[in-house]
Amino acid sequence: MIYRTGAEWRAAQAKRVLLFGMSGLGKTHVSTLLRDNGDWFHYSVDYRIGTRYMGEHIADNFKREAMKVPFLRELLRTDSVYIASNITFDNLAPLSTYLGKPGNPNRGGLAFADYLERQGQHREAEVAALHDTPRFIRRATEIYGYQNFVCDSGGSICEVVDPDNPNDPVMSDLAGNLLMVWIKGSEAHTAELVRRFDRAPKPMYYQPGFLHAAWTDYRVEKGLTEEQVDPDDFIRWTYARALAHRQPRYEAMARWGITVTAEEVAEARDAQGFVDLIARTLDQARTHA
């Protein structure tokens, strides 16, 4: 780890952390809190994916839909209108909408082959965006004068790394430049995330092996063809399994850094509270080592 003790962390002129864990446990909340403090640069991996690496895919998808409308079709063909996504740190809907959901096209579903293609695009984009992190650390300092840096990673980071491989290129790149911090949720948090997702299901990225197995198992259990699958029902069915699939991967990633709980993170009311939490956790980790 780049900081070995709480004292070393507190004394560091450049504090650099990467937050990872399930979506909805406070990564973006803490990152925003640190950014609003005025002394931290906030690098959002999902925002980078949606703007730098997936922006053209997203815009082209909007244009394909617009071309179905005669009025907009002529305007697009003559370059009379401009169509783009408006992704922000707090609104990643254009990215998740592009990823889509497989199933019945009459219910907004994608053909499974098209869904897999978009999943593959996301994987490449996420790996690239994670590898961009050290460059943004330098940019934050050289251009904007920020010494402190927080990387707000997406929930699917555990799907694109091999934390059990000490030479994993992404993990090595990240851990060599930032303190890896797992925000760990409880069973109660998991249950709440499932309930929240059930109310408003949204597309996610999954590992290909996991996704193929889920797609097959769901259709066998329900007795459905690909075209009969309700897209929302499939991703609801898949979500709880995805959380269980991701938990051991997060735990393996945590060996590269430290672990804090979602409750502890929620108690950090300002940047100093977060700094204190990390210092305590570093010292506790050293004591237990």
Side-chain angles (χ1 to χ4, degrees):
M1 291 187 291
I2 63 172
Y3 311 103
R4 294 168 295 176
T5 67
E8 189 175 319
W9 158 258
R10 290 182 187 277
Q13 291 186 340
K15 296 177 174 63
R16 305 192 300 268
V17 297
L18 180 145
L19 306 177
F20 68 93
M22 291 187 293
S23 296
L25 294 183
K27 297 189 302 293
T28 299
H29 168 73
V30 171
S31 299
T32 301
L33 180 151
L34 294 174
R35 183 188 70 218
D36 290 347
N37 180 74
D39 296 326
W40 289 75
F41 186 92
H42 177 187
Y43 176 62
S44 167
V45 171
D46 282 338
Y47 179 80
R48 179 69 170 168
I49 291 170
T51 53
R52 172 63 176 85
Y53 293 106
M54 299 283 283
E56 189 171 305
H57 294 308
I58 293 168
D60 284 350
N61 193 45
F62 290 161
K63 293 171 185 176
R64 279 192 290 270
E65 293 301 314
M67 285 291 286
K68 297 175 184 178
V69 181
F71 175 73
L72 294 176
R73 176 185 174 88
E74 291 308 312
L75 292 173
L76 279 171
R77 285 169 62 89
T78 57
D79 290 327
S80 299
V81 293
Y82 176 76
I83 295 179
S85 68
N86 189 27
I87 287 181
T88 67
F89 284 8
D90 299 316
N91 179 19
L92 299 166
L95 175 58
S96 62
T97 298
Y98 175 74
L99 283 177
K101 312 165 190 177
N104 188 333
N106 294 326
R107 296 190 175 189
L110 292 170
F112 191 64
D114 293 337
Y115 180 65
L116 286 177
E117 181 180 2
R118 296 185 185 192
Q119 290 274 305
Q121 291 168 350
H122 189 281
R123 179 184 180 85
E124 291 180 7
E126 184 157 10
V127 169
L130 288 168
H131 276 307
D132 282 345
T133 306
R135 183 160 66 88
F136 270 83
I137 292 174
R138 294 191 296 272
R139 289 185 67 195
T141 301
E142 294 170 2
I143 299 177
Y144 304 108
Y146 287 101
Q147 297 296 324
N148 301 322
F149 186 97
V150 55
C151 177
D152 177 8
S153 72
S156 56
I157 184 175
C158 65
E159 306 278 15
V160 301
V161 300
D162 179 4
D164 293 322
N165 177 6
N167 298 314
D168 180 83
V170 176
M171 290 297 294
S172 298
D173 205 12
L174 296 174
N177 288 277
L178 307 101
L179 177 65
M180 306 289 287
V181 180
W182 179 27
I183 301 179
K184 182 179 181 180
S186 64
E187 291 185 6
H189 286 117
T190 300
E192 175 56 29
L193 291 175
V194 171
R195 285 193 293 271
R196 190 186 306 169
F197 191 88
D198 189 62
R199 290 194 299 270
K202 64 179 183 179
M204 293 173 55
Y205 171 76
Y206 303 104
Q207 280 190 332
F210 171 84
L211 186 56
H212 276 284
W215 184 243
T216 299
D217 292 346
Y218 174 85
R219 289 184 295 115
V220 169
E221 179 181 308
K222 304 287 186 178
L224 300 173
T225 65
E226 291 192 8
E227 293 75 18
Q228 292 173 327
V229 170
D230 180 333
D232 283 342
D233 189 60
F234 170 72
I235 63 170
R236 285 189 180 102
W237 184 91
T238 304
Y239 183 70
R241 290 160 181 77
L243 295 185
H245 161 77
R246 288 181 173 183
Q247 190 70 7
R249 300 187 66 83
Y250 289 137
E251 291 178 0
M253 287 179 63
R255 294 196 292 268
W256 293 69
I258 61 174
T259 301
V260 298
T261 67
E263 291 87 353
E264 289 173 324
V265 166
E267 291 175 0
R269 304 298 182 185
D270 52 27
Q272 188 58 52
F274 177 78
V275 169
D276 292 342
L277 170 60
I278 297 303
R280 290 195 305 271
T281 306
L282 281 167
D283 287 337
Q284 291 166 1
R286 191 179 187 192
T287 300
H288 295 154

